[in-house]
């Protein structure tokens, strides 16, 4: 009689500085080391949404995304809150500071392959305090897009060969459901 996957012992196949490859029964998946998770920011300024674009090595191309970053990625900040990480990342990546934050819950982007979760936080009442662009080496481009133009904007970006982060479906989904592409 075989052991169900959920009762099988977890094996670490490989571990690096940021991710660990694991196996449990027939399942192979990755997780973040030290249970690091992410904070993803839905930054809204009036009728505009703030997006970021950056080169992603695993994709080999630029990717359009919601601003985001790791929570507790530095061992000295292991107890960092999602709100603190989101505020830091919003300023670093976009140059905006939010006066209002709302927690929209915890989500998993690819639960069949990755155990990492992210907290989705809505940032509003934005003040521009800098240029953004990320920290050294990130080379982030900030895009301010009218919500009504988002489907068109993303279609144009895809046509130029840019990848789209799955979390953009949060904004594009209503248009897809209404038959708009």
């Amino acid at each position: 009689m075989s052991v169900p996957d959920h009762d099988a012992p977890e094996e670490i196949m490989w571990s690096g500085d940021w991710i660990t490859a694991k196996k449990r029964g027939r399942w192979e998946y990755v997780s973040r080391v030290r249970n690091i998770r992410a904070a993803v920011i839905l930054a809204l300024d009036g009728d505009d949404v703030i997006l970021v674009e950056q080169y992603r090595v695993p994709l080999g191309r630029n990717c359009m995304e919601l601003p985001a970053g790791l929570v507790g990625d530095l061992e000295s900040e292991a107890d960092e809150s999602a709100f603190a990480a989101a505020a830091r990342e919003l300023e670093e990546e976009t140059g905006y500071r939010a006066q209002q934050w709302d927690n929209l819950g915890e989500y998993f982007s690819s639960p069949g392959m990755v155990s990492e979760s992210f907290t989705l936080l809505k940032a509003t009442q934005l003040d521009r305090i800098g240029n953004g662009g990320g920290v050294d080496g990130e080379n982030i481009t900030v895009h301010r897009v009218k919500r009504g133009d988002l489907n068109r904007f993303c279609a144009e970006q895809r046509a130029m060969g840019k990848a789209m982060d799955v979390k953009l479906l949060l904004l594009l989904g209503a248009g897809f459901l209404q038959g708009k592409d």
Side-chain angles (χ1 to χ4, degrees):
M1 183 158 147
S2 67
V3 177
D5 292 329
H6 68 280
D7 289 335
E10 183 176 78
E11 301 174 60
I12 294 178
M13 308 308 289
W14 176 87
S15 190
D17 293 335
W18 299 104
I19 61 170
T20 300
K22 297 179 178 182
K23 184 173 183 178
R24 183 183 300 267
R26 298 167 296 156
W27 286 86
E28 297 175 338
Y29 57 97
V30 296
S31 66
R32 291 277 187 185
V33 297
R34 300 186 320 275
N35 295 314
I36 293 171
R37 60 197 191 289
V40 176
I41 304 124
L42 174 59
L44 302 173
D45 193 22
D47 194 38
D48 295 343
V49 62
I50 309 300
L51 301 178
V52 294
E53 173 187 345
Q54 61 184 311
Y55 183 81
R56 292 299 193 176
V57 171
L59 305 178
R61 59 183 165 155
N62 280 13
C63 187
M64 300 301 303
E65 309 171 3
L66 295 174
L70 297 177
V71 179
D73 53 335
L74 301 175
E75 288 190 51
S76 61
E77 297 175 1
D79 61 347
E80 180 180 39
S81 72
F83 282 106
R88 173 178 42 80
E89 292 291 342
L90 183 64
E91 289 184 25
E92 286 175 4
E93 292 189 1
T94 71
Y96 286 95
R97 180 177 290 153
Q99 294 178 38
Q100 177 68 38
W101 289 93
D102 296 301
N103 186 335
L104 301 179
E106 181 181 29
Y107 298 88
F108 298 83
S109 60
S110 187
M113 187 180 87
V114 180
S115 66
E116 177 189 41
S117 70
F118 65 90
T119 301
L120 181 63
L121 299 155
K122 182 168 71 170
T124 55
Q125 300 176 30
L126 304 182
D127 295 314
R128 189 75 188 242
I129 60 164
N131 294 326
V135 295
D136 289 341
E138 285 187 313
N139 299 317
I140 293 172
T141 302
V142 179
H143 295 273
R144 190 179 172 102
V145 183
K146 295 276 182 215
R147 284 188 257 182
D149 293 338
L150 198 58
N151 287 57
R152 178 195 52 76
F153 175 81
C154 288
E156 290 172 359
Q157 298 300 307
R158 278 195 305 272
M160 290 189 287
K162 295 178 187 169
M164 296 289 134
D165 187 312
V166 69
K167 292 177 278 306
L168 290 181
L169 289 174
L170 168 75
L171 301 169
L172 297 172
F176 288 159
L177 291 172
Q178 296 167 4
K180 300 175 185 175
D181 29 308

